[in-house]
Amino acid sequence: MKVFQVRLKLYLLKDIAVSQMQEKLTSLIDKGFAVSESMLQMHEDNRFKNYCYDMPYPVEKDKVYKRGKVYTLTIRTIDIGLARYFSDVCVNSYTDSLKALTSEVRIIPQKFIQSIYTLTPAILKGDKGYWRGCMTMEEYEERMKVNLIKKWNAFENEKMDENFQLYIFMEFLNKVPIMMEYKGIKLWGDKFSLQIADNASAQKLAYMSLGTGILEMNSRGAGFVSYKWL
């Protein structure tokens, strides 16, 4: 498995508030899927999308991205076909508020990962809303681990043994839930860091999460993680 990182330069055609940016980015990314039948099928299928993205950099102090300025968007994926799409097709995509200009691609090397930490809120969708009101910490941790294992199994077409420790320490980085708005719906998530365990399975999933994101709605901008090597 390889994690591909694509950095897109974005030109803003309108001012965009930080709270609206993830939905605007999703529209830009999704637009190009129609150029390929296989990409469109992937986009429409109910399956793991195997990509994730961060918020554009730099973030303005007043939380409004400015018309006429250029920002850098980081997209990651474990799918080489998607990496080519993001680097070749997305640079020709535009919407009424965003235009992609250039792309730069690199592979993140596999090294021992000491920790990962979310840069965008990790979202866990439940029937009863935000997880803290209806789920224990143990259930939340299990849901996160199982989600990563399912992503691995689906991509590698194998069944990973689930009897291992994923991390040795978890720290939440927010005191109150963080809101993410998508299509008029308010979703609540968290930012956290994980100190990854020293075993092969944990290291594999930690590396994969750099390209897939953690928990859910990763192709909508949630659960994007950064990392620290040992």
Side-chain angles (χ1 to χ4, degrees):
M1 181 181 288
K2 291 185 173 73
V3 173
F4 301 90
Q5 178 170 283
V6 182
R7 287 209 161 130
L8 285 179
K9 294 294 184 181
L10 298 178
Y11 179 80
L12 263 65
L13 303 170
K14 294 181 180 179
D15 287 354
I16 304 175
V18 167
S19 61
Q20 299 174 332
M21 179 55 84
Q22 284 173 311
E23 190 165 348
K24 299 294 186 183
L25 292 172
T26 298
S27 296
L28 177 74
I29 292 170
D30 289 355
K31 186 177 180 181
F33 285 132
V35 304
S36 165
E37 186 174 340
S38 61
M39 285 293 179
L40 184 61
Q41 188 66 47
M42 180 280 299
H43 171 62
E44 293 178 346
D45 284 350
N46 182 21
R47 62 177 179 176
F48 295 120
K49 307 305 183 188
N50 294 324
Y51 71 90
C52 55
Y53 60 85
D54 195 2
M55 295 290 282
Y57 178 83
V59 179
E60 302 289 348
K61 291 183 180 179
D62 63 357
K63 306 298 183 183
V64 177
Y65 291 98
K66 300 297 187 287
R67 177 179 179 269
K69 291 188 68 172
V70 176
Y71 300 87
T72 300
L73 174 67
T74 300
I75 310 174
R76 298 210 202 104
T77 180
I78 56 174
D79 186 324
I80 190 172
L82 280 173
R84 289 175 178 145
Y85 163 76
F86 294 132
S87 63
D88 297 340
V89 177
C90 274
V91 294
N92 296 312
S93 293
Y94 63 91
T95 65
D96 64 346
S97 54
L98 290 168
K99 178 175 176 55
L101 301 176
T102 61
S103 66
E104 177 184 294
V105 186
R106 66 181 285 255
I107 295 173
I108 297 177
Q110 293 192 44
K111 299 181 182 180
F112 188 91
I113 296 176
Q114 183 181 50
S115 62
I116 60 175
Y117 52 96
T118 57
L119 296 180
T120 60
I123 302 292
L124 189 155
K125 293 190 296 181
D127 297 334
K128 298 180 181 179
Y130 181 56
W131 71 274
R132 286 189 184 272
C134 57
M135 189 179 292
T136 66
M137 186 64 202
E138 290 74 19
E139 289 171 329
Y140 182 85
E141 293 172 322
E142 181 66 14
R143 180 87 167 257
M144 176 173 55
K145 179 180 176 181
V146 169
N147 176 270
L148 287 171
I149 291 172
K150 285 182 177 178
K151 288 172 181 171
W152 176 276
N153 291 345
F155 187 78
E156 295 289 0
N157 194 28
E158 66 178 38
K159 183 171 176 57
M160 177 181 281
D161 184 355
E162 299 183 14
N163 186 26
F164 66 92
Q165 184 177 9
L166 176 61
Y167 59 89
I168 58 178
F169 181 73
M170 179 177 187
E171 179 184 10
F172 283 92
L173 306 176
N174 55 291
K175 294 183 179 179
V176 296
I178 302 171
M179 190 267 288
M180 177 179 140
E181 188 169 347
Y182 181 70
K183 291 186 176 180
I185 300 173
K186 292 182 179 179
L187 302 168
W188 301 94
D190 300 278
K191 290 185 177 181
F192 52 76
S193 65
L194 300 175
Q195 187 174 344
I196 304 302
D198 184 4
N199 64 73
S201 295
Q203 289 294 315
K204 286 178 180 178
L205 293 186
Y207 179 71
M208 181 197 70
S209 74
L210 307 183
T212 62
I214 201 162
L215 281 174
E216 301 162 12
M217 294 194 69
N218 309 125
S219 63
R220 310 293 91 171
F224 183 92
V225 301
S226 191
Y227 56 94
K228 290 182 180 178
W229 287 320
L230 186 64

